[in-house]
Amino acid sequence: MITRGTLFLFIQFIPFILSANQLLQLANHGRSAYQIRISSDASALTKHAADEFQRLFEMRAGVSLPLVTGTSASDKEVVIREGSTGLLETERTLGQDGFVIKVEKNRLIIDGGGGKGVLYGVYSFFEKYLGYRCYEPQVLTYPKRRRIVLPATLYDVQQPQNSYRNVFYHVAKDPFYRDWHKLDQMQPDWGLWVHTFSTFIPAGKYFATHPEYFALVDGKRRGFQDDPHLQAQLCLSNREVRQLIVEKLSNFIRENPYANYWSVSQNDTYAHSGYECTCEECAKIDSITGSPSGSLVTFVNDIAKQFPNHVISTLAYRYSRRPPQHLNLDSNVNIMLCTIECDRQRPIATDSLSADFRKDFEGWGKLTDNIIMWDYVVQFSNLYAPFPNFRTLQPNIQYFNSHGVHVHFQQGNITSGGEFAELRPYLIAKLLWDPEVDISREMTDFLNGYYGKAGRYIDKYIQSMHNLLDESNIRLTIYGAPEDHLSGFLSTEALQHYGQLFDRAERKVASDAELLERVKIARMPLTYALLEIAKKTGVPDGPHFLKVGDSRWRKESLVKQLEEFYSLCNKKRIPYLKENAVPPLSYYMDMKAFLMGDTTLPSDSVVIE
């Protein structure tokens, strides 16, 4: 359940020098005097947390601690519990997902508040104090040490600054990864999730017989937008539309009574006009309120009154982003505010081009404190393009928090693959839990841990891209393309420099097949950028070369890079190179034909379903 988080508290004191009687020894060379204890009426979540402690501890210590229930005479135990009545005053506000890790005499105690606090406490213990890292679902690492000691003064209380932390990336589909990184998902809280007008009243079913249900656009009722796979909006002043949605929503809630959030929201659109209704009554409301969101909020308010025990969510998105004037929101109406128009080369709080968004965002904040921030962190038009937005991640989340928004949906690439599809969700998860975290340290820790000795060169690649982007003053958008930055961070000289860095990175891990593959995957966006730029701007310069800008690239070399790119796509089962479009096989065939005039299907071709 989504609740408002207000505090992040971290308390830890470890003296630089600890004597033997100041240490708690949990294990020593495969032996331990400790056991794990849970109460006899422990919840399923607490039992799972205890099982996870036992499993993870054995991986590093080489000893399986006995798991006991009920009371115990032993004082050498790991106590896993939820909501203990023995909490100190400073711990009583653990709240949703919070936890405390502490040592009391000879006991290690992990106590969780509401939500998944106890499980998060267990995973945080192993990450923070025993050096475990979960870089991606199948990559869990830990130091090879047999002696495990803790300071007797250990006392660590944590609460998330953000009460809902949804990182929409493929890796977060994995339950273990999601819980390790303290992330939420849509289920079970959400019954319907965004762009639901077409769910309630599909044009294919209703437009022919009831065109009045749909938006009046340029004097004509429209069931669909010019892009025929997108339905137009509804006529929000039509009483029958309102009643039909109430009836259908009642049925949905009856079928799924445990969901609390239900989206009644506009259909997706690529147009700023949005195909909203301009009939006389809808237009009158929008005129009075100064925004097309006026008729939308009026409509959603009426729906929400029928469902006082549920939260009715709607979008502030494209044409409806500007908040209405002279209009209040019902207490159970939620606004999901989207940053889709914002650039990514500078933080939203300081980017002059984001001034209109800031005005709208802060305007909604004056109307309600029930806001979900929908932010975008990848380039949807080119999922494999280099996208140096890492320096905006932390300041953007901090900006949202500073204006009272603590509920986040961070949209990345939900299908497998994409540029830095391991690093970016990892860092965002850290920031959503603690927006003040030292993100540079976390990035360095990831790069060195995940890429080994190659990590320093990948770090140089990332920092170089950001520096050149800053110098170029060229816009970085979520619908951009590599060729947009030919005079900036993707110039010929820059591409050559990045290639040299990756050559060094690959040499450093050449003897480790797993690390080498990770480096090659990190290099895929560089290859993609080079191929895209060659295709969009290159001209023939003889049978063996392609002229791109002031440089000439050997076609044979480009084909070799294309083949390795395609091979890795197959191995990692990458379905698309753009958002829901351009399968790798199609891309390979098009690029091969462009470079060599060759349309032969590759022998290792794979169609990803």
Side-chain angles (χ1 to χ4, degrees):
M1 182 173 60
I2 299 175
T3 60
R4 180 167 296 279
T6 58
L7 174 70
F8 179 90
L9 177 64
F10 169 78
I11 303 174
Q12 181 187 6
F13 173 67
I14 302 177
F16 291 105
I17 301 176
L18 295 171
S19 61
N21 61 1
Q22 291 176 296
L23 293 174
L24 188 74
Q25 181 170 278
L26 290 180
N28 190 12
H29 291 84
R31 295 185 179 184
S32 176
Y34 277 76
Q35 62 185 18
I36 304 168
R37 180 169 64 83
I38 60 176
S39 66
S40 55
D41 61 347
S43 68
L45 179 66
T46 298
K47 291 176 182 176
H48 176 55
D51 288 340
E52 285 294 86
F53 190 101
Q54 184 183 54
R55 178 179 73 88
L56 294 168
F57 191 84
E58 184 177 8
M59 288 168 59
R60 174 171 163 179
V63 57
S64 179
L65 303 185
L67 178 57
V68 299
T69 59
T71 58
S72 172
S74 173
D75 63 345
K76 290 190 174 182
E77 56 188 14
V78 177
V79 180
I80 310 292
R81 64 193 187 191
E82 287 183 83
S84 169
T85 56
L87 291 174
L88 300 176
E89 285 300 320
T90 55
E91 301 165 16
R92 293 189 187 280
T93 58
L94 285 178
Q96 190 82 351
D97 295 339
F99 58 84
V100 57
I101 303 170
K102 60 184 177 180
V103 170
E104 287 184 356
K105 297 182 180 178
N106 289 321
R107 290 184 174 89
L108 170 65
I109 298 173
I110 301 177
D111 204 335
K116 290 187 174 182
V118 65
L119 182 61
Y120 295 162
V122 166
Y123 288 154
S124 292
F125 170 76
F126 282 94
E127 179 169 30
K128 187 172 181 178
Y129 298 104
L130 300 192
Y132 284 56
R133 296 290 185 272
C134 181
Y135 295 122
E136 58 174 315
Q138 306 306 320
V139 181
L140 180 68
T141 67
Y142 51 92
K144 306 291 186 180
R145 301 191 188 100
R146 292 301 188 185
R147 186 166 182 261
I148 298 178
V149 295
L150 300 172
T153 53
L154 175 59
Y155 182 67
D156 181 357
V157 181
Q158 293 190 36
Q159 272 191 285
Q161 174 71 26
N162 295 298
S163 57
Y164 182 75
R165 305 167 301 278
N166 191 326
V167 178
F168 202 58
Y169 256 99
H170 189 263
V171 290
K173 287 183 175 182
D174 181 83
F176 174 74
Y177 180 97
R178 189 168 58 241
D179 287 340
W180 183 279
H181 291 285
K182 310 177 187 68
L183 298 174
D184 295 293
Q185 59 179 333
M186 295 171 192
Q187 303 299 331
D189 294 320
W190 286 84
L192 289 173
W193 177 267
V194 304
H195 302 316
T196 58
F197 280 175
S198 60
T199 300
F200 288 111
I201 304 181
K205 179 178 180 180
Y206 288 96
F207 185 73
T209 55
H210 291 283
E212 72 276 10
Y213 288 178
F214 298 85
L216 184 72
V217 180
D218 296 330
K220 295 175 58 177
R221 295 288 175 178
R222 293 286 297 267
F224 292 91
Q225 302 177 32
D226 290 341
D227 184 333
H229 85 277
L230 292 176
Q231 182 175 306
Q233 311 303 336
L234 300 176
C235 178
L236 300 180
S237 58
N238 186 296
R239 305 292 178 184
E240 292 183 23
V241 167
R242 205 168 304 179
Q243 185 58 36
L244 191 55
I245 288 182
V246 168
E247 291 173 2
K248 290 195 173 185
L249 184 54
S250 296
N251 292 334
F252 285 142
I253 292 174
R254 193 176 303 112
E255 295 168 359
N256 187 6
Y258 299 106
N260 188 39
Y261 286 77
W262 295 88
S263 182
V264 178
S265 56
Q266 68 201 58
N267 295 319
D268 202 358
T269 181
Y270 303 135
H272 290 285
S273 63
Y275 295 82
E276 70 271 24
C277 187
T278 58
C279 75
E280 183 176 356
E281 192 168 349
C282 287
K284 180 180 179 181
I285 298 171
D286 292 344
S287 177
I288 293 171
T289 59
S291 171
S293 64
S295 54
L296 177 64
V297 169
T298 300
F299 180 82
V300 173
N301 272 344
D302 286 350
I303 300 293
K305 287 181 174 63
Q306 309 302 313
F307 303 95
N309 297 321
H310 294 85
V311 178
I312 306 303
S313 178
T314 199
L315 285 164
Y317 173 71
R318 293 200 183 275
Y319 73 88
S320 65
R321 197 190 74 186
R322 190 166 71 252
Q325 301 172 12
H326 320 300
L327 189 61
N328 295 319
L329 277 71
D330 277 25
S331 59
N332 62 324
V333 171
N334 164 260
I335 297 299
M336 186 174 284
L337 181 61
C338 304
T339 64
I340 195 165
E341 296 91 357
C342 293
D343 293 344
R344 302 294 147 170
Q345 75 275 11
R346 298 188 190 91
I348 289 172
T350 58
D351 182 15
S352 61
L353 297 175
S354 295
D356 286 344
F357 175 83
R358 290 194 298 270
K359 181 180 178 181
D360 292 346
F361 169 56
E362 293 169 21
W364 282 108
K366 295 174 183 177
L367 294 178
T368 180
D369 61 358
N370 193 350
I371 296 175
I372 295 177
M373 182 53 60
W374 183 320
D375 200 9
Y376 304 80
V377 294
V378 298
Q379 191 167 85
F380 294 111
S381 53
N382 291 280
L383 294 170
Y384 267 97
F387 193 65
N389 70 329
F390 286 106
R391 292 179 184 173
T392 67
L393 298 177
Q394 184 166 42
N396 283 352
I397 290 172
Q398 290 173 334
Y399 170 66
F400 302 144
N401 286 172
S402 71
H403 286 81
V405 176
H406 300 275
V407 182
H408 295 261
F409 178 80
Q410 297 267 318
Q411 185 173 358
N413 180 21
I414 195 57
T415 59
S416 58
E419 192 236 19
F420 284 123
E422 304 83 23
L423 173 62
R424 190 173 279 106
Y426 183 95
L427 296 179
I428 294 172
K430 299 290 185 190
L431 288 167
L432 290 180
W433 183 259
D434 174 15
E436 305 304 321
V437 69
D438 186 340
I439 202 63
S440 295
R441 184 186 65 189
E442 295 293 344
M443 178 181 282
T444 299
D445 182 79
F446 180 98
L447 294 176
N448 292 337
Y450 189 69
Y451 297 109
K453 293 180 179 179
R456 59 180 293 198
Y457 297 102
I458 297 178
D459 184 44
K460 288 181 178 180
Y461 162 67
I462 292 171
Q463 301 311 322
S464 180
M465 280 198 299
H466 282 80
N467 291 340
L468 290 173
L469 174 66
D470 292 344
E471 293 171 10
S472 73
N473 203 32
I474 298 173
R475 297 176 64 186
L476 182 71
T477 74
I478 64 173
Y479 290 110
E483 61 269 20
D484 297 341
H485 296 273
L486 267 172
S487 60
F489 77 92
L490 292 178
S491 67
T492 299
E493 295 78 10
L495 291 172
Q496 291 172 339
H497 174 58
Y498 304 152
Q500 292 167 0
L501 289 174
F502 271 104
D503 288 344
R504 294 174 193 170
E506 290 183 18
R507 287 196 295 268
K508 283 292 183 180
V509 294
S511 61
D512 188 316
E514 186 173 358
L515 291 180
L516 180 60
E517 181 175 280
R518 292 177 193 170
V519 173
K520 287 181 177 293
I521 289 171
R523 188 172 191 159
M524 289 174 71
L526 180 58
T527 300
Y528 180 83
L530 176 59
L531 293 170
E532 282 293 287
I533 290 170
K535 184 175 181 180
K536 300 292 175 59
T537 66
V539 295
D541 190 34
H544 303 295
F545 291 90
L546 189 72
K547 192 174 187 299
V548 182
D550 297 328
S551 297
R552 296 164 75 237
W553 298 86
R554 186 176 289 275
K555 293 182 181 180
E556 184 180 350
S557 173
L558 291 174
V559 170
K560 183 178 180 181
Q561 292 180 66
L562 171 64
E563 288 174 343
E564 183 170 54
F565 180 89
Y566 175 67
S567 178
L568 285 169
C569 284
N570 282 346
K571 186 170 185 179
K572 305 306 290 187
R573 299 192 65 78
I574 307 303
Y576 301 114
L577 303 183
K578 301 178 186 287
E579 187 183 22
N580 299 318
V582 189
L585 178 57
S586 298
Y587 187 77
Y588 174 88
M589 296 297 291
D590 289 345
M591 282 301 308
K592 189 80 174 292
F594 167 72
L595 292 170
M596 306 296 290
D598 185 354
T599 58
T600 305
L601 195 69
S603 59
D604 61 343
S605 60
V606 174
V607 178
I608 307 299
E609 298 294 339

